[in-house]
C-alpha cells in the first residue's frame, strides 16, 4: 500500500522533475571535472574544423565568423579611441572607476580590501567557502568589501553600478590564467551543482545551456554563431551593443545567464538571478571549463 | 568609413532584435489568447518564421533552402525532402509536438506537449513544410 502511494507520488512528481533532467551530450556522464572537460574538448575537436587553438577559445563565436571578428575589431578600436567612443563606454568606465577609487566614509578604499591593491584578485574567484560550502564569486567579494566598511551592498543585477565596478576591478587581473582546482568534497559538490544547471533542461522549451554551447556549438541560431562553452567565462563582464542608446552597455556573466534564459523563454520565476547561489555554482563549473585561458574583462562582444 | 561603421552597427542591431524577441515568454498560447483576446496565428509562413508567444520560430533553427528569406539557422535539419523523410505526415506532426519521444536529447522544444502551439497550428505548419 505504501509502495502504491510512493509510485503515485512519483508519477505526479515526474513531470515537474522532467524540467531538471539533463541532456546527455559531451561531458554529461563523466564523473570528474578533468574527464568532463576532456569529453567536451574531444567533441569540439571532432566538430570544429580546424580545431580552435590555444587562447583563441576566448574569441567564442568569432572563431566561426570572420564578419563578427571584423566588427569586434572595429568596436574595440572605437572603445579605445577617445574621439569615437560608443555611448555608454566612457560613462561605465567613469562610474566603475569612481566606485573603485572613491574612499568610503571611513577613509578606506576598495583596493585596501585586496592584496596587491586588487591586482590578480579576480583570479582568486570563483572559489568555494570551506565553512559554508557556498561558491563566492568576485562580485561577492566586492560587495563584502563595501559592507565590511559600512557601505551599502550594490545590486548584482545593476550593470550601472556593480557591472561597471566589476569591469574596473577585474581588469586588474587581465592576462592572468584561470586556475580552478576542484579538490575538496565541497569543491566537487559545487562543481556538480553548477554542472547540473548547465546540462539541465529548463522552461517550456526544455532547452539546456549544454544544448547550444556544447551539443550545437559552432552551429547557427537565427544568424548567431553559437559559441562553445570553453572560453566563455574568461572574458566577462563584456560591453554589448545597446539598442536603445545605439551605444554599448555592461553585461556581467550572471546577467548573461539571464539573457540566455530570456531568449530561451525560461519563465522569470524559474530563472537563476545575478548574485544567487545557483548563478555562482554555474559560474564555478563554467569557469573551470575555461581553465588555463587568460582573463580579459570589459572586452566588446556583440 | 563612417558609413561602413553605421551599416555595421545597423546590421548588428537588427540581429540583436531577432535574438531578443523570443525571450518574451512561453506561456501556453491558448491561455494567453483568452487573456489578451488575441486570435491564434494560423498563417503557416508567419508561424514558421516569427518568434514570440504563440509562434513557432522554426526559422531560428531550420532553413527552407527553397526560400532564401528563410535561411537563418542550421541547428536542426533543413526543410528538404520532407515527403520522403516523413512518408506519414502524422509522424511529422508528432515530431513537432514532441521530438523528445524520438530523440531524448533533442534541443527541439516540445511544441505540442508544452502547448507552445495548438494541434491546429501544428497541423498547418506540417502541411506547409510538407511541400518542400
Amino acid at each position: 500500500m505504501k509502495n502504491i502511494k510512493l509510485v503515485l507520488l512519483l508519477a505526479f512528481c515526474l513531470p515537474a522533475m522532467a524540467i531538471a533532467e539533463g541532456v546527455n551530450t559531451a561531458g554529461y556522464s563523466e564523473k570528474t571535472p578533468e574527464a568532463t572537460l576532456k569529453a567536451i574538448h574531444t567533441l569540439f575537436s571532432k566538430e570544429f574544423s580546424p580545431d580552435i587553438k590555444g587562447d583563441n577559445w576566448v574569441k567564442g563565436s568569432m572563431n566561426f565568423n570572420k564578419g563578427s571578428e571584423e566588427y569586434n575589431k572595429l568596436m574595440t578600436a572605437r572603445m579605445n579611441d577617445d574621439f569615437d567612443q560608443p555611448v555608454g563606454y566612457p560613462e561605465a568606465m567613469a562610474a566603475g572607476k569612481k566606485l573603485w577609487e572613491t574612499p568610503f566614509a571611513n577613509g578606506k578604499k576598495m583596493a585596501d580590501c585586496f592584496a596587491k591593491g586588487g591586482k590578480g584578485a579576480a583570479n582568486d574567484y570563483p572559489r568555494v567557502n570551506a565553512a559554508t560550502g557556498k561558491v563566492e564569486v568576485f562580485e561577492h567579494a566586492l560587495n563584502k568589501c563595501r559592507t565590511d566598511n559600512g557601505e551599502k551592498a550594490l545590486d548584482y543585477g545593476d550593470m550601472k553600478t556593480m557591472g561597471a565596478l566589476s569591469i574596473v576591478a577585474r581588469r586588474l587581473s587581465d592576462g592572468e590564467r584561470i586556475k580552478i582546482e576542484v579538490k575538496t568534497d565541497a569543491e566537487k559538490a559545487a562543481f556538480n551543482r553548477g554542472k547540473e544547471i548547465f546540462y539541465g533542461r529548463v522552461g517550456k522549451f526544455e532547452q539546456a545551456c549544454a544544448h547550444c554551447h556544447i551539443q550545437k556549438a559552432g552551429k547557427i541560431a537565427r544568424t548567431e554563431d553559437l559559441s562553445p562553452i570553453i572560453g566563455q567565462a574568461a572574458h566577462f563582464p563584456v560591453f554589448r551593443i545597446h539598442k536603445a542608446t545605439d551605444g554599448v552597455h555592461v553585461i556581467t556573466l550572471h546577467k548573461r545567464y539571464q539573457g540566455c534564459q530570456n531568449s530561451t523563454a525560461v519563465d522569470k520565476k524559474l530563472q537563476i538571478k545575478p548574485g544567487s547561489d545557483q548563478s555562482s555554482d554555474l559560474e564555478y563549473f563554467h569557469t573551470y571549463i575555461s581553465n588555463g585561458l587568460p582573463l580579459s574583462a570589459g572586452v566588446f562582444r556583440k | 568609413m563612417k558609413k561602413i561603421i553605421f551599416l555595421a552597427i545597423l546590421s548588428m542591431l537588427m540581429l540583436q532584435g531577432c535574438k531578443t524577441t523570443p525571450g518574451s515568454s512561453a506561456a501556453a498560447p491558448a491561455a494567453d489568447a483568452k487573456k489578451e483576446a488575441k486570435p491564434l496565428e494560423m498563417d503557416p509562413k508567419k508561424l514558421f518564421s516569427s518568434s514570440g508567444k504563440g509562434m513557432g520560430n522554426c526559422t531560428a533553427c531550420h532553413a527552407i533552402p527553397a526560400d532564401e528569406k528563410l535561411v537563418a539557422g542550421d541547428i536542426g535539419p533543413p526543410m528538404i525532402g520532407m515527403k520522403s523523410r516523413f512518408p506519414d505526415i502524422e509522424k511529422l506532426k508528432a515530431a513537432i509536438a514532441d521530438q523528445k519521444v524520438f530523440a531524448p536529447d533533442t534541443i527541439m522544444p516540445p511544441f505540442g506537449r508544452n502547448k507552445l502551439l495548438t494541434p491546429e497550428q501544428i497541423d498547418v505548419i506540417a502541411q506547409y513544410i510538407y511541400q518542400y
Side-chain angles (χ1 to χ4, degrees):
Chain A
M1 189 55 200
K2 265 211 179 116
N3 275 343
I4 291 177
K5 267 191 192 155
L6 195 71
V7 168
L8 277 177
L9 192 74
L10 271 177
F12 274 107
C13 290
L14 266 179
M17 280 160 60
I19 287 172
E21 182 192 345
V23 174
N24 189 2
T25 186
Y28 177 69
S29 50
E30 275 66 23
K31 297 275 184 294
T32 65
E34 295 80 8
T36 303
L37 174 53
K38 189 156 177 247
I40 295 170
H41 191 260
T42 303
L43 171 77
F44 288 167
S45 59
K46 264 191 244 139
E47 303 222 317
F48 305 155
S49 160
D51 188 14
I52 299 171
K53 292 271 183 310
D55 295 348
N56 279 342
W57 285 104
V58 181
K59 295 202 293 192
S61 59
M62 286 184 275
N63 283 301
F64 311 112
N65 191 323
K66 277 270 163 289
S68 58
E69 186 166 17
E70 286 308 310
Y71 180 65
N72 204 290
K73 279 188 189 145
L74 187 111
M75 289 303 287
T76 306
R78 283 189 61 199
M79 291 192 330
N80 293 325
D81 175 354
D82 286 350
F83 297 99
D84 196 20
Q85 279 176 335
V87 178
Y89 181 79
E91 292 83 352
M93 291 311 294
K97 227 174 142 202
K98 193 168 163 204
L99 281 162
W100 179 257
E101 284 174 2
T102 309
F104 304 129
N106 68 5
K108 290 230 178 97
K109 291 201 291 190
M110 288 291 310
D112 300 332
C113 292
F114 302 95
K116 290 190 274 176
K119 212 173 163 332
N123 204 23
D124 293 334
Y125 299 85
R127 68 182 184 197
V128 177
N129 181 313
T132 63
K134 284 194 182 199
V135 173
E136 297 167 354
V137 301
F138 187 50
E139 288 70 21
H140 290 142
L142 293 173
N143 255 347
K144 184 169 185 305
C145 175
R146 289 179 58 87
T147 52
D148 282 354
N149 285 290
E151 303 287 324
K152 268 203 292 218
L154 303 174
D155 176 351
Y156 293 106
D158 184 3
M159 298 298 104
K160 291 206 153 73
T161 57
M162 181 51 96
L165 172 62
S166 172
I167 284 195
V168 168
R170 280 182 183 265
R171 276 193 173 175
L172 299 172
S173 302
D174 275 5
E176 296 238 353
R177 290 183 183 274
I178 297 173
K179 47 169 176 49
I180 307 248
E181 288 181 20
V182 184
K183 281 191 179 148
T184 66
D185 285 349
E187 287 165 347
K188 286 177 195 157
F191 179 90
N192 287 333
R193 289 195 304 270
K195 180 173 174 178
E196 208 168 284
I197 297 174
F198 200 88
Y199 287 85
R201 292 175 174 275
V202 324
K204 287 219 164 87
F205 286 5
E206 300 185 10
Q207 290 173 329
C209 317
H211 270 132
C212 288
H213 299 298
I214 298 179
Q215 189 194 60
K216 300 292 180 184
K219 297 227 178 274
I220 301 172
R222 253 205 202 265
T223 72
E224 290 281 336
D225 296 85
L226 291 170
S227 55
I229 179 177
I230 300 176
Q232 280 185 333
H235 61 80
F236 275 82
V238 291
F239 280 102
R240 293 193 78 195
I241 283 292
H242 188 39
K243 267 192 291 179
T245 61
D246 199 14
V248 294
H249 63 160
V250 176
I251 300 289
T252 60
L253 189 57
H254 289 196
K255 195 76 177 176
R256 193 65 173 93
Y257 294 162
Q258 252 188 333
C260 275
Q261 294 175 92
N262 279 331
S263 55
T264 53
V266 179
D267 204 274
K268 287 270 184 289
K269 284 191 291 274
L270 291 175
Q271 290 189 4
I272 58 170
K273 309 260 161 26
S276 67
D277 288 349
Q278 294 101 316
S279 290
S280 305
D281 290 343
L282 179 55
E283 178 174 339
Y284 188 72
F285 163 77
H286 205 184
T287 309
Y288 175 86
I289 299 297
S290 290
N291 250 355
L293 293 171
L295 294 173
S296 55
V299 294
F300 177 79
R301 288 290 189 280
K302 59 173 184 163
Chain B
M1 188 59 192
K2 279 271 187 248
K3 199 165 179 184
I4 294 178
I5 295 174
F6 174 72
L7 282 177
I9 292 175
L10 193 73
S11 63
M12 285 349 290
L13 289 179
M14 283 159 69
L15 293 186
Q16 286 302 107
C18 292
K19 193 178 47 192
T20 39
T21 24
S24 38
S25 159
D32 286 331
K34 254 181 234 148
K35 251 187 272 160
E36 298 165 17
K38 214 162 96 190
L40 282 181
E41 183 59 65
M42 279 299 171
D43 179 70
K45 205 164 166 175
K46 277 201 189 126
L47 278 171
F48 188 90
S49 61
S50 298
S51 59
K53 248 183 242 177
M55 295 292 183
N57 193 21
C58 320
T59 325
C61 299
H62 301 278
I64 298 187
D67 184 341
E68 62 180 32
K69 284 200 201 83
L70 296 177
V71 179
D74 67 357
I75 285 182
M79 303 290 111
I80 315 173
M82 299 310 279
K83 283 200 185 86
S84 59
R85 280 167 57 205
F86 294 92
D88 177 4
I89 194 169
E90 292 308 317
K91 283 257 169 65
L92 177 58
K93 290 181 200 168
I96 302 171
D98 190 0
Q99 170 66 4
K100 230 171 111 185
V101 172
F102 310 105
D105 296 308
T106 187
I107 186 174
M108 172 101 172
F111 288 98
R113 176 161 53 79
N114 280 353
K115 301 191 167 60
L116 298 159
L117 298 170
T118 65
E120 294 74 24
Q121 287 175 313
I122 291 175
D123 199 77
V124 162
I125 293 175
Q127 304 286 353
Y128 169 67
I129 55 182
Y130 216 50
Q131 67 180 299
Y132 293 109

